[in-house]
Amino acid sequence: MASGCCLQTVGPRINESRIGKLGRLETVYDNPSSSSSSLAPRVGLFVTCLVDLFRPSVGFAAVKLLEDAGCIVEVPRAQTCCGQPAYNNGDRADAQRIARTVIEAFEHYDYVVVPSGSCAGTLKRHYPKLLAGDPDWAERASAMAEKVYELISFLTDIRGVSAVDASFDGAVTYHDSCTGLRELGVKDQPRRLLASVKGLTLKEMDDAEVCCGFGGTFSIKYPDISNAIVEKKTKHIAMSEADLVLAGDLGCLMNMAGKLKREGKTVAARHIAEVLAGMTDEPPIGAPAHKRG
Amino acid sequence: MSKPIASESILARIRQSLGVGEEDAGRLNVVSQRLKTHTASLIPERARLPYDERVRLFAEMLNSQSATLTIVEDSSEIPEAISAYLRENNLPAHLRQGQDELLSNLPWERTPQLERLSGCASPDDLVALSRAPAAAAETGTLFLTSGPDNPTTLNFLPETHIVVLRSDDLFGSYEDAWNRLREVYGSGMMPRAVNLISGPSRTADIEQTIVMGAHGPKRLHVVLVAR
Amino acid sequence: MKPTSHAFKQNAAEALVDEQLQKALRNVDRGFVAKRAAAREKLPEFDRLRDEARDIKNHTLDYLDLYLEAYQNKVRETGGQVHWASTATDACEIIQNICMGAGAQSVAKGKSMISEEIGLNAYLETSGLKVIETDLGEYIIQLRGEHPSHIIAPAVHLAKEQVEADFRSKHKELPAGRRLDEPKQLVDEARQVLRKQFLAADVGITGANFLIAETGSSVIVTNEGNGDLTQTLARVHIVIASLEKIVPTLEDANTLIRLLARSATGQEISTYTTYSTGPKRPGDLDGPDEYHVVLLDNGRSELLGSEFRDMLRCIRCGACMNHCPVYNAIGGHAYGWVYPGPMGAVLTPSLIGVNEAGHLPNASTFCGRCEAVCPMHIPLPDMMRHWRDREFAQKSVPVLQRWALRIWAWAATRHRLYQFGTGLVMPMLAFLGGRSGAFRRLPLFGGWTKHRDLPAPQGRTFQQLWRKRRGRGGAS
């Protein structure tokens, strides 16, 4: 297993000889998908601003899952945000600036893995469009896009992970975050891994694929409409009779958790990575912090 | 009166947006080729079934669209089939039809109680009889064509519409049905109206509840003359 | 139609608390969505047909000028007339002149969104013409003085009790004691009342779902048959259609027809799909004496050369709005003009200006469901984003929003500063929110906390914790 081998980047540019210095690792999978399974891939973890600022435990869960899957995980320091707020609000120039810094920091990794469908979608589908007109960066954006993956689908589709070594006693329901679903095809993969969690029961909710109403800045620009949409979502969550709602996007989760809490519903909310990594000691999203001492 | 140069200015704007010139032989050729060859795109498999399955599909589709179907073995049985249908549904024993030759030459003497009027539909007609020169089983769709043989108003004014269809004219796909009409009218030529009819008239405009007979017929009955 | 799109937020707020509307909207969500899914299930070739449809339309747009000319020639060959209108007013004038020239007093109309776009009814009525909508949904809203709230189901926002009330107040000649509490009774009454109008109309105006260059035909799809009675019984048939409705051949139309009803209502095909070509022929017993086609530009020729060109592939099926979480929350009237939902959000600013309609492309979560179900593969969210690009470039974004974004973006490219700042702020917020785990109120986030709590951060940021945990090894 590849524990203890994760390094911080030492500078913005890494040269190829690094792989040799880190050594090779052998790992066995149920369904190895590529020849790279015998050589530990170097994964640059794009943490996302929400995970970084609001819920780092998701980041650590992602690291564990990736390491358990035989990856060497590095977390470039030069990352902040994927630039979606600028991009989706018409500020192309700023979005391009941010995109360039992200590409610069991540393009040399074997894979760029993101614990968020929307941020992964931005890097994978939208950076190439954003920089298509820039002769110096267009190709770099496309090249990096090939290597960008949302976390869960990376584990299943690229690393061949078909089961996790975790347990969770309870019923969960899963919300299909829009971008992950529609831009990246993330649908079965989370469910397959959840099915392997010991003790966990998955109860599908109605309209799991319908938007939760977050939409980034939409939730602040059009709060009443956003509320109407999330109300339908929390209603379906409650009807599923699950104790916990999971998703792959922290934005969606904070939106749903915030509404559930305001409505006094007792369903908890976590990022799916936390459950798959068996790291559910931290309080769920929006729940009181553990008492100190 | 439209401004005399409207078409020119619109076409000029279009060409400007496309970045093309006016006299472009290459482009003209592309367009004229496509219009001439009218190649079909993907035709669904269900539109390419052999005869027996085609009839089954046709019946299924009509049924799911609230139309009814009687199959007779020979055209001589049509008058009686129609008479029976009207009787069974408590409908009056009279109908309006056009000058369609096949319909006119049926052995109507077998159903003397059935009163037949000729011409286009009047608002008081309750039952109309037409013949469809083609149909497509893929969605249970009849192709009715305007003209003195089967006036268009027959398809819409009376509450009950009965349509005779020969099995030779029951095709699988829209493409085949249109090709039959091309044989009849000539390629690129059309009668004033071709009505593709797939059931009786309906609306869901009140609370999304389906109600039949919105403006057109409440009943559509097809009589298929089998091979 | 006078737009109220600038008042979108106000419109939406009213819509959200309109109980009757909310109840009616459930028909959209539950009904159309499930029906389309079932129709797609029944036709295995559905998604491949969408690819072909997109290619057909793209090809047609590449040769739009030539196909329109070919179409015009064909219409003339069959005895019809073609009129070209650059603007909405031009189109209205042309149609009015045709009606006047025919000595018309009453006009029957099939459903036409283009006629809404150009404000045709009001224009014709000012010259004394009586205009009757014959599509039941359109007829009902005409009685109410409203505009359609959905491009396929114009009266979807109404309850049957409201329709009953309208019929009772407008159909005064009918016995007051009659029962009108069931949809069937309402439909039968409409059939009776409108039948008279069909027979009396001098002019019938229909829209066109498609125009076919090969044959010079216009195609309409209805379930009621009203479009057919409209065009067959009157002396004059006028077709009003925008330029992009043209398709090359009958075969091309077949592909689009296979997708249209399935995408719209989940039907295999609309009950009546009618191809009309020219006026009555010698020997015909019925049909119009005159056949006119009015081709409307109204901005289409410009869209063709813009980043919104893909929007011209739209076949007006309504699938996008049926699947849109925003439309399902607020209904069609909130959008404030003719075209609601995602297609309205893209088209409306191009037709009435982004200053009037700017809210529409902004009021989207970019969930992408619209694009996922669009039979023509129109990248609707991308095009809404283009509008947002234009608004930002011309600085019509609210000042506070603009500067908040710029500050965020500025910090986001300076990771050391960003991490320093967030390293201070997040633990502070965690401390403030830790007891309950979430904020019920937070300055600057009033929009969020009005309706939901804002979960508190865990404390130190991931970057801080990561450097701490993996501290050795030369962090930079």
Side-chain angles (χ1 to χ4, degrees):
Chain A
M1 285 302 177
S3 60
C5 291
C6 302
L7 299 179
Q8 193 83 12
T9 54
V10 179
R13 290 220 164 255
I14 312 289
N15 56 38
E16 267 102 356
S17 59
R18 264 197 150 213
I19 293 177
K21 285 181 191 160
L22 295 172
R24 292 163 177 262
L25 290 150
E26 295 281 338
T27 328
V28 178
Y29 304 103
D30 293 351
N31 183 24
S33 61
S34 73
S35 58
S36 65
S37 59
S38 59
L39 174 65
R42 280 178 55 250
V43 169
L45 182 69
F46 186 88
V47 178
T48 81
C49 63
L50 287 179
V51 168
D52 181 26
L53 303 186
F54 278 85
R55 202 165 173 84
S57 57
V58 173
F60 287 107
V63 170
K64 176 172 193 301
L65 287 168
L66 289 166
E67 290 181 341
D68 286 354
C71 300
I72 300 164
V73 182
E74 298 183 15
V75 184
R77 177 122 185 239
Q79 60 174 299
T80 54
C81 170
C82 66
Q84 261 189 93
Y87 182 56
N88 284 341
N89 284 285
D91 185 359
R92 279 183 79 87
D94 279 335
Q96 286 164 340
R97 269 180 220 114
I98 294 171
R100 290 185 203 110
T101 60
V102 173
I103 295 170
E104 177 103 25
F106 281 89
E107 64 187 334
H108 51 276
Y109 286 100
D110 295 329
Y111 299 102
V112 181
V113 178
V114 191
S116 156
S118 68
C119 305
T122 300
L123 268 59
K124 195 174 184 78
R125 302 271 182 249
H126 295 279
Y127 277 8
K129 285 192 241 185
L130 196 49
L131 296 171
D134 185 331
D136 297 325
W137 288 88
E139 228 182 275
R140 289 169 76 176
S142 300
M144 187 185 84
E146 300 276 306
K147 304 192 276 192
V148 171
Y149 290 91
E150 178 275 338
L151 172 68
I152 308 301
S153 52
F154 176 75
L155 294 171
T156 55
D157 300 348
I158 305 301
R159 297 309 293 160
V161 175
S162 57
V164 293
D165 184 21
S167 40
F168 181 85
D169 200 12
V172 320
T173 191
Y174 185 81
H175 163 74
D176 292 296
S177 294
C178 296
T179 316
L181 174 68
R182 295 189 187 96
E183 283 189 8
L184 303 173
V186 178
K187 175 71 186 178
D188 301 322
Q189 304 93 322
R191 289 168 169 85
R192 268 186 265 145
L193 293 185
L194 286 173
S196 72
V197 176
K198 294 176 260 306
L200 183 147
T201 314
L202 177 62
K203 295 189 174 177
E204 295 282 5
M205 64 169 122
D206 289 338
D207 287 356
E209 292 186 357
V210 175
C211 187
C212 73
F214 175 58
T217 49
F218 173 85
S219 55
I220 306 178
K221 281 155 64 181
Y222 297 95
D224 295 338
I225 305 177
S226 174
N227 177 55
I229 299 172
V230 75
E231 260 176 12
K232 291 182 190 171
K233 179 60 64 173
T234 56
K235 188 170 99 165
H236 288 131
I237 291 172
M239 276 165 57
S240 76
E241 297 184 343
D243 309 306
L244 175 65
V245 57
L246 301 177
D249 262 82
L250 199 51
C252 307
L253 288 161
M254 287 175 64
N255 181 41
M256 295 186 289
K259 187 64 186 174
L260 287 164
K261 195 166 164 102
R262 181 65 63 91
E263 289 178 326
K265 294 190 163 79
T266 55
V267 184
R270 287 182 186 278
H271 192 286
I272 184 177
E274 301 175 51
V275 169
L276 296 179
M279 289 166 64
T280 51
D281 290 337
E282 288 291 324
I285 299 168
H290 287 316
K291 298 221 182 335
R292 299 180 196 285
Chain B
M1 247 67 67
S2 55
K3 299 200 187 94
I5 49 157
S7 64
E8 283 169 36
S9 54
I10 292 173
L11 289 167
R13 275 200 297 277
I14 291 174
R15 291 194 247 267
Q16 184 176 43
S17 289
L18 291 174
V20 297
E22 207 178 310
E23 301 292 323
D24 187 329
R27 291 179 80 237
L28 278 161
N29 193 45
V30 168
V31 166
S32 70
Q33 275 301 108
R34 191 180 183 113
L35 292 175
K36 201 165 65 171
T37 58
H38 46 74
T39 314
S41 296
L42 173 68
I43 299 177
E45 221 177 282
R46 70 149 97 153
R48 293 180 277 133
L49 298 170
Y51 180 73
D52 287 333
E53 289 172 58
R54 199 188 311 158
V55 174
R56 238 193 323 272
L57 178 64
F58 185 62
E60 210 181 283
M61 285 288 148
L62 285 175
N63 179 57
S64 67
Q65 281 142 208
S66 307
T68 50
L69 173 71
T70 299
I71 303 181
V72 298
E73 290 306 310
D74 185 79
S75 57
S76 61
E77 298 167 44
I78 296 175
E80 278 151 328
I82 291 174
S83 199
Y85 171 78
L86 294 173
R87 227 178 13 251
E88 281 155 25
N89 289 279
N90 284 323
L91 294 167
H94 58 249
L95 56 82
R96 174 87 63 179
Q97 62 163 89
Q99 294 162 23
D100 186 277
E101 213 181 300
L102 186 144
L103 292 180
S104 300
N105 293 341
L106 294 173
W108 293 104
E109 63 277 7
R110 298 194 191 178
T111 54
Q113 73 284 11
L114 193 50
E115 187 192 332
R116 288 180 311 129
L117 299 171
S118 179
C120 65
S122 90
D124 304 316
D125 291 335
L126 292 173
V127 183
L129 174 65
S130 317
R131 189 174 70 83
E138 70 171 279
T139 51
T141 300
L142 302 159
F143 283 56
L144 286 127
T145 52
S146 63
D149 288 353
N150 293 287
T152 305
T153 44
L154 292 180
N155 306 339
F156 295 101
L157 278 176
E159 271 186 20
T160 301
H161 188 206
I162 302 172
V163 180
V164 168
L165 174 72
R166 295 183 316 182
S167 61
D168 284 346
D169 301 328
L170 173 57
F171 300 98
S173 65
Y174 304 144
E175 282 74 7
D176 287 343
W178 280 114
N179 279 331
R180 165 56 59 87
L181 294 188
R182 283 190 175 111
E183 284 168 27
V184 173
Y185 293 96
S187 197
M189 308 296 292
M190 297 274 276
R192 183 199 68 81
V194 180
N195 300 121
L196 273 60
I197 298 182
S198 308
S201 156
R202 76 205 60 208
T203 180
D205 275 333
I206 315 257
E207 289 190 352
Q208 295 302 302
T209 307
I210 297 186
V211 177
M212 310 305 283
H215 292 298
K218 296 185 182 184
R219 275 168 235 96
L220 175 69
H221 185 70
V222 180
V223 180
L224 175 67
V225 187
R227 249 172 220 166
Chain C
M1 177 181 165
K2 197 162 187 314
T4 64
S5 311
H6 57 275
F8 175 80
K9 278 195 139 173
Q10 172 69 9
N11 296 343
E14 284 167 17
L16 288 171
V17 297
D18 182 338
E19 271 179 44
Q20 169 45 45
L21 173 65
Q22 292 299 322
K23 184 158 161 266
L25 284 173
R26 282 197 271 283
N27 283 329
V28 177
D29 198 348
R30 298 274 138 249
F32 290 136
V33 170
K35 290 183 180 142
R36 176 200 173 267
R40 179 170 168 265
E41 201 60 27
K42 280 201 283 196
L43 187 69
E45 296 88 353
F46 188 86
D47 285 334
R48 273 180 291 156
L49 286 170
R50 289 169 70 199
D51 295 341
E52 306 233 333
R54 173 202 54 209
D55 295 343
I56 288 169
K57 271 286 180 180
N58 280 345
H59 165 83
T60 310
L61 291 172
D62 283 339
Y63 296 89
L64 186 63
D65 55 324
L66 297 179
Y67 282 119
L68 286 170
E69 284 180 308
Y71 170 76
Q72 174 175 243
N73 292 339
K74 261 304 187 183
V75 173
R76 287 173 172 167
E77 254 178 56
T78 59
Q81 297 176 53
V82 180
H83 314 258
W84 298 65
S86 287
T87 67
T89 314
D90 290 341
C92 288
E93 260 176 43
I94 290 167
I95 293 172
Q96 182 181 70
N97 287 335
I98 296 171
C99 293
M100 297 285 111
Q105 288 180 311
S106 79
V107 176
K109 282 189 69 223
K111 196 165 101 57
S112 161
M113 294 309 293
I114 289 290
S115 72
E116 295 278 343
E117 185 183 315
I118 65 176
L120 182 63
N121 292 9
Y123 191 97
L124 293 179
E125 280 162 354
T126 57
S127 56
L129 283 162
K130 182 175 168 209
V131 182
I132 309 276
E133 293 287 348
T134 64
D135 172 273
L136 180 57
E138 290 281 347
Y139 175 69
I140 293 167
I141 63 174
Q142 184 181 38
L143 292 181
R144 296 171 64 85
E146 282 179 13
H147 293 280
S149 67
H150 187 288
I151 62 173
I152 300 299
V156 75
H157 57 291
L158 297 171
K160 62 175 157 65
E161 289 76 23
Q162 290 168 291
V163 181
E164 178 186 354
D166 297 321
F167 279 15
R168 285 198 191 284
S169 84
K170 301 286 183 182
H171 300 161
K172 292 226 186 307
E173 70 279 12
L174 295 173
R178 69 199 189 285
R179 281 191 59 202
L180 275 182
D181 40 77
E182 289 306 312
K184 181 175 189 321
Q185 291 155 342
L186 292 163
V187 173
D188 283 346
E189 178 158 316
R191 180 195 173 95
Q192 192 189 343
V193 168
L194 287 170
R195 185 53 75 94
K196 291 202 203 60
Q197 308 293 346
F198 282 125
L199 295 164
D202 304 302
V203 174
I205 300 180
T206 63
N209 292 90
F210 310 107
L211 302 172
I212 304 185
E214 178 199 344
T215 55
S217 308
S218 64
V219 184
I220 55 166
V221 311
T222 71
N223 285 308
E224 299 177 19
N226 61 303
D228 298 280
L229 287 170
T230 297
Q231 62 175 238
T232 311
L233 295 173
R235 287 184 283 120
V236 177
H237 178 197
I238 302 176
V239 177
I240 170 80
S242 49
L243 303 177
E244 80 279 17
K245 294 296 173 71
I246 192 100
V247 295
T249 65
L250 290 167
E251 276 73 7
D252 294 324
N254 289 343
T255 300
L256 298 175
I257 284 164
R258 287 187 173 108
L259 292 168
L260 177 56
R262 289 184 171 103
S263 301
T265 58
Q267 291 171 278
E268 306 276 342
I269 187 173
S270 304
T271 306
Y272 301 105
T273 303
T274 296
Y275 297 64
S276 59
T277 316
K280 68 200 276 195
R281 308 284 195 270
D284 278 4
L285 302 177
D286 47 28
D289 299 316
E290 286 175 45
Y291 179 86
H292 299 263
V293 179
V294 181
L295 292 174
L296 175 71
D297 186 350
N298 205 27
R300 273 57 172 186
S301 58
E302 256 178 65
L303 280 175
L304 187 59
S306 76
E307 70 265 47
F308 301 100
R309 181 191 140 128
D310 291 345
M311 198 58 220
L312 294 172
R313 296 202 293 266
C314 178
I315 59 173
R316 304 291 193 266
C317 70
C320 59
M321 60 195 73
N322 291 341
H323 290 76
C324 176
V326 174
Y327 179 92
N328 275 300
I330 63 179
H333 285 156
Y335 292 78
W337 201 56
V338 176
Y339 302 108
M343 57 81 65
V346 175
L347 196 55
T348 307
S350 74
L351 295 174
I352 65 175
V354 75
N355 290 338
E356 171 67 39
H359 272 300
L360 271 52
N362 277 287
S364 166
T365 63
F366 284 171
C367 77
R369 218 171 171 212
C370 51
E371 182 176 356
V373 299
C374 174
M376 310 304 293
H377 287 306
I378 300 172
L380 292 155
D382 278 351
M383 288 192 296
M384 288 185 232
R385 195 181 289 108
H386 289 325
W387 282 120
R388 299 184 189 189
D389 292 344
R390 287 203 186 179
E391 283 176 291
F392 191 88
Q394 70 185 41
K395 295 189 176 26
S396 41
V397 171
V399 173
L400 186 61
Q401 180 184 312
R402 189 184 173 83
W403 282 105
L405 287 172
R406 298 231 60 206
I407 290 168
W408 174 261
W410 180 86
T413 51
R414 292 162 175 76
H415 68 272
R416 287 183 187 79
L417 189 61
Y418 175 99
Q419 282 156 14
F420 177 74
T422 55
L424 291 175
V425 171
M426 303 326 285
M428 197 153 53
L429 279 175
F431 176 72
L432 290 172
R435 176 100 52 92
S436 72
F439 297 98
R440 293 189 69 86
R441 253 183 306 280
L442 195 64
L444 298 181
F445 286 90
W448 181 289
T449 55
K450 183 173 165 197
H451 297 294
R452 61 215 121 177
D453 291 356
L454 178 65
Q458 280 174 331
R460 278 184 280 201
T461 65
F462 182 83
Q463 288 284 357
Q464 284 176 312
L465 293 168
W466 182 257
R467 277 200 308 287
K468 203 161 171 263
R469 190 188 289 199
R470 314 282 163 152
R472 71 214 178 278
S476 67

